Amino acid sequence: MELALLLVLIIGVYWVYQGSLSVALLAALVLILIRFSEQLANLILFSKVIELMQVALNRIHDFLAIQPLAIATPNQQPQQFDVRFEQVSFGYTKQSVTLNNINVQFKQHSLNAIVGESGSGKTSLIRLLMRYADPQQGRILIGGVDIRHIPNEQLNRLFSVVFQDVYLFDDSILNNIRLAKPTATEQEVEQVAKMANCHQFITALAQGYHTQVGEIGSQLSGGERQRISIARAILKDAPIVILDEATASLDSENQLAIQQAINRLVQHKTVIVITHRLSSISTADQILVINQGQIIEQGTHSSLLARQGAYCQMWQNQQQAKHWRI
Ligand SMILES: Nc1ncnc2c1ncn2[C@@H]1O[C@H](COP(=O)(O)OP(=O)(O)OP(=O)(O)O)[C@@H](O)[C@H]1O
C-alpha cells in the first residue's frame, strides 16, 4: 500500500509537471488513497487469517472424519486387571511395522517396565492397550477380556496415565484435580493432593486450591504440574497405572517428591512404566527390552544383567555416564 502511494505521488507529480493533471486532483487522489489504504491493508491481512483458519478447519474436518473404533458384542467388563498381549502386530500405515508379534503378560498388581531406544515402539504399545488404535493382528486382553469388547467409557476408567508433558486446563487447581472424579469433595481433593506431595505448594499460593493455573498450566513449574497430574491419577484410583517417562526431565528435589507420590499412586495396581532411566526400575517384577518393535529381552533386572545382552549393555552405559564430568 505504501509503495502504491509512493508510485501515485511520483507519477502524479510528473503529470502535474507536464500539465496533464491539476494539483487539486492529485491532492484529492492522494487523500482518497490514504483514506482507504488502511482498510485495504486490513482486507489483505484478513485474507491471510482466513487461509490459516482454512488449514485449521481442514485438520478439524480430518479429525471428525475418523470413525470411532467399533465395540464388539457382547459387551464385557473385566473383573481382574492383568494385561496380556497375544501375537500383536501393528503399523501406523499399511507399509510400516511398528510392533511385530508382541507376546507378553503383565500380572495383576505387578510392576512392569518397558525400555528400549527412542522410536522402538514403547509408547505405541501403550497406545494399543488404551485402544487409541486396533492392532492389525493379534489381540489384547485385560482380565481375560478382549479390549474390543469393553465399551470406551469403561475402558478409560481402567487406566490412570501420567505423562512427561502434563496438560492442565485453564481452570482452578481444584477443578484440574477433580477432572478425574467430578463428584469428589474438596476434602477428597485435598487428601489426594497431600498424597501427591502438592498440598504444600498449593496452600502457599494466595488463592490456594482456587488458583487459576493459566493456559496449559503455564503459571506452574514442570514438577508442580507433574504432581497435580499424579494427584489426579490417585483420585481416579484406576486399577492399571501407566507412567510414560514421568520423572524424566526433573531436578533431583522434584524427582524425590514425585517418586514418593508415584509410590503412593501405584500401590495395589498393575503398573506399566516406560523409562530411559534404568536405575528407577531395578526392582520391577518384569522388564521388557524393545528394539524395532520386537521384544528382544524379558526378565528381572538381575536376570537380564546375568544374560549380558542388550539390557546389560544399556545398564553399563548408564553407569558409566554417571561418572561423566564436564
Ligand atoms: N502417530 C503416528 N503416526 C505415524 N507413525 C508414528 C506415530 N507415532 C509414532 N510413530 C512411529 O512409530 C515408531 C515407534 O514410535 P513410539 O513413539 O512408539 O516409540 P518410543 O519407543 O515410545 O519412542 P520414545 O522413546 O522416543 O518415546 C516410530 O518410528 C515413530 O516415528
Side-chain angles (χ1 to χ4, degrees):
M1 290 310 297
E2 279 155 12
L3 207 68
L5 194 63
L6 197 69
L7 264 175
V8 168
L9 263 176
I10 292 170
I11 296 169
V13 169
Y14 177 68
W15 283 347
V16 168
Y17 183 70
Q18 280 198 330
S20 54
L21 185 71
S22 72
V23 177
L25 203 57
L26 174 64
L29 259 178
V30 170
L31 267 178
I32 289 170
L33 207 65
I34 292 173
R35 173 75 181 77
F36 289 105
S37 66
E38 202 179 321
Q39 277 79 359
L40 275 171
N42 279 346
L43 202 69
I44 293 166
L45 206 69
F46 195 59
S47 72
K48 290 280 162 214
V49 174
I50 289 180
E51 262 175 48
L52 282 176
M53 281 162 64
Q54 190 63 49
V55 174
L57 263 179
N58 287 345
R59 290 172 63 186
I60 293 171
H61 277 306
D62 289 349
F63 176 70
L64 292 178
I66 299 172
Q67 290 298 315
L69 297 174
I71 311 295
T73 47
N75 290 355
Q76 283 175 297
Q77 212 174 344
Q79 302 304 320
Q80 299 288 313
F81 303 105
D82 62 298
V83 173
R84 218 164 62 228
F85 282 69
E86 285 182 355
Q87 297 173 350
V88 170
S89 293
F90 171 73
Y92 285 95
T93 58
K94 283 196 178 104
Q95 296 80 29
S96 66
V97 183
T98 306
L99 293 169
N100 189 6
N101 196 25
I102 300 289
N103 286 293
V104 67
Q105 183 176 16
F106 304 121
K107 289 195 182 131
Q108 177 155 311
H109 299 171
S110 66
L111 172 58
N112 304 274
I114 309 177
V115 301
E117 283 173 12
S118 203
S120 55
K122 305 181 291 293
T123 305
S124 303
L125 196 87
I126 296 305
R127 285 188 189 145
L128 291 189
L129 173 59
M130 294 195 289
R131 212 170 171 221
Y132 287 11
D134 279 336
Q136 279 87 3
Q137 274 173 40
R139 57 183 196 153
I140 301 164
L141 305 128
I142 297 177
V145 176
D146 188 327
I147 58 171
R148 286 172 291 202
H149 286 267
I150 307 174
N152 288 336
E153 225 172 274
Q154 285 171 24
L155 187 67
N156 286 338
R157 277 198 217 118
L158 301 181
F159 305 110
S160 280
V161 192
V162 180
F163 289 111
Q164 183 179 352
D165 301 318
V166 175
Y167 192 94
L168 296 182
F169 291 93
D170 189 8
D171 201 337
S172 64
I173 293 179
L174 181 78
N175 285 341
N176 263 290
I177 298 177
R178 217 170 7 204
L179 269 180
K181 187 181 168 194
T183 54
T185 61
E186 284 198 30
Q187 284 74 19
E188 274 181 89
V189 171
E190 209 168 285
Q191 197 183 348
V192 295
K194 280 179 186 156
M195 290 170 78
N197 272 345
C198 46
H199 179 71
Q200 220 173 354
F201 84 77
I202 295 173
T203 44
L205 298 167
Q207 310 282 319
Y209 281 85
H210 296 278
T211 307
Q212 297 291 312
V213 298
E215 189 83 15
I216 324 178
S218 55
Q219 307 296 317
L220 301 168
S221 77
E224 289 168 346
R225 284 204 296 268
Q226 195 91 18
R227 277 178 270 167
I228 286 181
S229 84
I230 295 173
R232 203 191 254 173
I234 296 175
L235 187 63
K236 188 170 179 188
D237 195 26
I240 302 171
V241 174
I242 295 166
L243 306 169
D244 192 348
E245 288 291 350
T247 60
S249 61
L250 301 164
D251 56 61
S252 51
E253 195 182 324
N254 254 319
Q255 267 191 19
L256 184 68
I258 286 170
Q259 199 57 54
Q260 287 171 339
I262 285 176
N263 291 348
R264 290 175 195 135
L265 166 68
V266 300
Q267 277 170 18
H268 313 299
K269 311 280 186 211
T270 306
V271 186
I272 305 173
V273 185
I274 295 180
T275 187
H276 286 281
R277 285 190 320 117
L278 303 187
S279 56
S280 64
I281 44 121
S282 56
T283 55
D285 300 297
Q286 175 176 235
I287 300 170
L288 303 184
V289 185
I290 298 205
N291 188 26
Q292 295 184 350
Q294 279 180 309
I295 298 174
I296 54 166
E297 284 177 15
Q298 193 170 353
T300 59
H301 174 74
S302 51
S303 73
L304 290 174
L305 282 187
R307 221 182 125 120
Q308 303 253 312
Y311 180 84
C312 183
Q313 189 62 51
M314 283 161 67
W315 174 260
Q316 282 170 356
N317 290 346
Q318 291 197 3
Q319 293 305 304
Q320 278 169 10
K322 269 189 187 170
H323 305 296
W324 284 356
R325 292 278 179 278
I326 298 176

